[in-house]
Amino acid sequence: MAASRKDQNWRSYLKTHPLFQELKANHTKPTTQIDSSNILAIRDGLLYAWDSESQCLLVTNLSAFVQASERFTSGRNTTSSSTSKLNGKSFVQLICTSVPIFDVESIVLNTTGHLVALIGKNGVSVLELPRRWGKCEESDDVKQKMICRTTPIAERFFLGFPNTRVLKVDWHPGGDTDSHLAILTSDNFFRVYSVGDPESPAQVYQLGEVSQSLSGSTPSPYQLLGEAAVSFDFGAATHVKQHQRDEIVWPVFVLYGNGDVFTLATSFGRNIRPGTLQGPLSMNPAAEDNYGVDSCSLLCLSTTPAVLVIATSSGKLYHCVAMERDADETRQKEETADLSLYVYESVELELSLTTVSLETTDIVEDDFSCLITLHKDPTAVGRYFCSHSAGVHCVVVPWIGSLQSATDDDTSAVAQIFMQEQSCIVEHLVCTKPLPSSPPSPILGICVSSDPTLGLTLLCLLSTFECMALPLRSSVHIPTEGRLLSAGASEVIVSPLRSLHRQSFKSHIQQLLLQRTSCHPLLRGGATDMEAAECFQLLGRTTQVLREHYLQRHQQVMDAIERRVQALTEQKELQMHDLQAISRSKLELQDNAESLADRYEEMTDRMDEAVSRAEQLLRKLQSRTPVLSDAERSMAAELNQMQEKIDQFKSSLLQVKKKAEYQKLQVRRQSKQNGGQLVGGEQTEQLSSVLQNE
């Protein structure tokens, strides 16, 4: 992924950071270290680096450095504190109260970020970071030197047994206070120490035969046979019910030199008994050499089910999925472990670049081997890094997401993932040993920054104490087909022929162009001082990579496009022929439809005429019928009843008229007797009401 101009500015200025200038000034002598180490760490924009000469921990705020570099490049505030932070001593020295008596080869921050483990081959110490020290460099009054409390872990043990070496140290994720260290030593013991009680281990687990050899130069027989533990890593937490209480158990995967993997259950619960070592886990499919006898490092990716990465000193990586086995199968094989490892794929890293001999055309064989250290990527579950004496590799496992979506009970879904055969993507980021004749140049430290100000960046510290900042992708690029039209536009008509293909042609071309391995690393370390013959070998190597990894892919894409064009041309001709036949059928159907419409209208007119004639005929027949119908009879009865009512109304009306005349006569008589007195209004109303009632 191409970095933006803003990111590129601060990454280019990082090489001249005062912290790394201090490291270069203190380490003027060439290093004699062969194996890679990790004296670099980053958390929340703060970069930590161990200075072995001054025996202190250097800390700088990269976020403030980025802001200063932006102001410096844009020309704003170049005369103020931004210039001092670019050119001055813009870092803090954390001085140990108890200086480690061993050579520190790696530093590990705990989850909360307040403790730093200083790890060496002959001892371990814990440095407690200051609780109040501001944001480091954001103010001008920050102390340049600060004394920090340092606690040696198991100091008396390592002084009493000087031949016991520390193989790996990591913070135990199950501690309530995040202050427990898990230490694997060469005497086949796995111990857990608390920072509060550094001399007495809280838990001790014996992983095998204890070495009886007192001389550090002569390894014990079980170490020569690979029956000693060399690395470990913690898996995902599980819940176990003990005495009606849920307890959290943290499984530990232990790797032995012969490639065997064991499991160990650890917990800080009071009701949980110390776990016993179970294994070795069966490897499927089985191999005669048990997938190598030079295993050196183990990494457990944060997935469910667990995915283990096993690295060998010869440069091979094995991706294994830990699945639960059936109880019947466990009893038949008499195994104590409930898990089995299914090897999904194996990867062989190219430690030094493969070149061709100048005298002959044969490939120069390089049997170089070194310890490989695996590092998790905190920003992506399916990505990790490999640091070694020849550079840095980045490995992306694209099928991790599909595996996480499948449940443990759904075995068919997991089996379908295995059938997809998705191979991992390996990228050679940094090469410090470009030729077989080049001396080893180990990596001194790598870390991944996820701070929004810095962006997703891989910081790599070379043996020359030069820090490289490489931009990373946020995730694995999965090509998707998005719509270019707006939501209100008409939907695109998809051809039904596309449903016959498993994937689109665009995805097929992208798969052809996708590089599963990247063979263009940045050359550092011993790559600067080379003779003309070695430069010619690198030129031949570059030409070979160009032919095999670029021109061949483009040739395959061109052939695929030509085949696709030919197939589409034939399909187009066939579809055009079908369209012509459909057009002819359409014209015939239109003619038939018109004739049918005319016949339909003619039949409709004839049917209406026949219906009207039938109605007229029925009316005439009904009129000439001598017998009355039911309707006529009912109508005649109604007329008779109405005639009778009319007669009754006439007789009643006649009676009313006679009564009215009689009343008028009586009124005239009464008026004459009363001397012409007239009836008043009230009397008239009463008379009217009486007449109405009668």
Side-chain angles (χ1 to χ4, degrees), residues 516-583:
R516 294 296 176 182
T517 57
S518 175
C519 302
H520 47 277
L522 298 176
L523 301 182
R524 289 294 187 272
T528 56
D529 301 330
M530 292 187 296
E531 298 179 355
E534 294 177 344
C535 294
F536 183 75
Q537 287 182 348
L538 286 180
L539 178 61
R541 163 68 178 178
T542 305
T543 307
Q544 180 184 2
V545 170
L546 180 63
R547 291 175 180 175
E548 295 180 356
H549 296 276
Y550 290 92
L551 297 182
Q552 287 185 2
R553 292 179 183 273
H554 286 78
Q555 182 65 33
Q556 293 176 359
V557 170
M558 185 180 67
D559 296 340
I561 293 176
E562 290 179 354
R563 291 193 299 268
R564 183 71 171 178
V565 169
Q566 183 179 0
L568 291 177
T569 303
E570 295 177 356
Q571 293 179 5
K572 181 181 178 181
E573 293 177 355
L574 181 60
Q575 291 176 356
M576 293 298 295
H577 182 268
D578 295 339
L579 285 176
Q580 294 177 0
I582 291 173
S583 300

Side-chain angles (χ1 to χ4, degrees), residues 114-255:
H114 72 284
L115 296 177
V116 181
L118 309 177
I119 307 167
K121 290 184 179 180
N122 298 320
V124 180
S125 294
V126 175
L127 183 144
E128 184 176 354
L129 297 177
R131 297 185 178 181
R132 294 184 180 181
W133 60 337
K135 293 187 178 180
C136 188
E137 302 179 15
E138 291 191 359
S139 59
D140 297 333
D141 57 350
V142 177
K143 295 181 179 180
Q144 299 296 331
K145 294 183 179 181
M146 303 180 68
I147 299 176
C148 298
R149 179 181 179 182
T150 309
T151 305
I153 303 297
E155 184 177 16
R156 288 181 295 180
F157 171 77
F158 288 109
L159 290 176
F161 298 93
N163 297 327
T164 302
R165 294 180 295 104
V166 176
L167 299 180
K168 185 174 181 180
V169 178
D170 199 359
W171 291 99
H172 198 294
D176 296 336
T177 59
D178 195 17
S179 59
H180 289 80
L181 272 176
I183 303 176
L184 177 65
T185 53
S186 59
D187 58 352
N188 257 0
F189 273 92
F190 179 81
R191 300 176 177 88
V192 180
Y193 288 89
S194 174
V195 179
D197 188 8
E199 294 298 336
S200 301
Q203 298 177 8
V204 180
Y205 303 93
Q206 183 176 347
L207 305 180
E209 297 294 335
V210 181
S211 173
Q212 301 296 331
S213 177
L214 299 179
S215 61
S217 60
T218 304
S220 60
Y222 72 91
Q223 291 178 340
L224 295 175
L225 296 175
E227 297 179 359
V230 294
S231 181
F232 73 93
D233 199 3
F234 291 95
T238 58
H239 294 269
V240 178
K241 251 188 185 178
Q242 292 288 341
H243 302 287
Q244 298 181 354
R245 293 182 59 183
D246 288 339
E247 299 288 350
I248 301 177
V249 176
W250 292 90
V252 180
F253 294 95
V254 183
L255 175 67

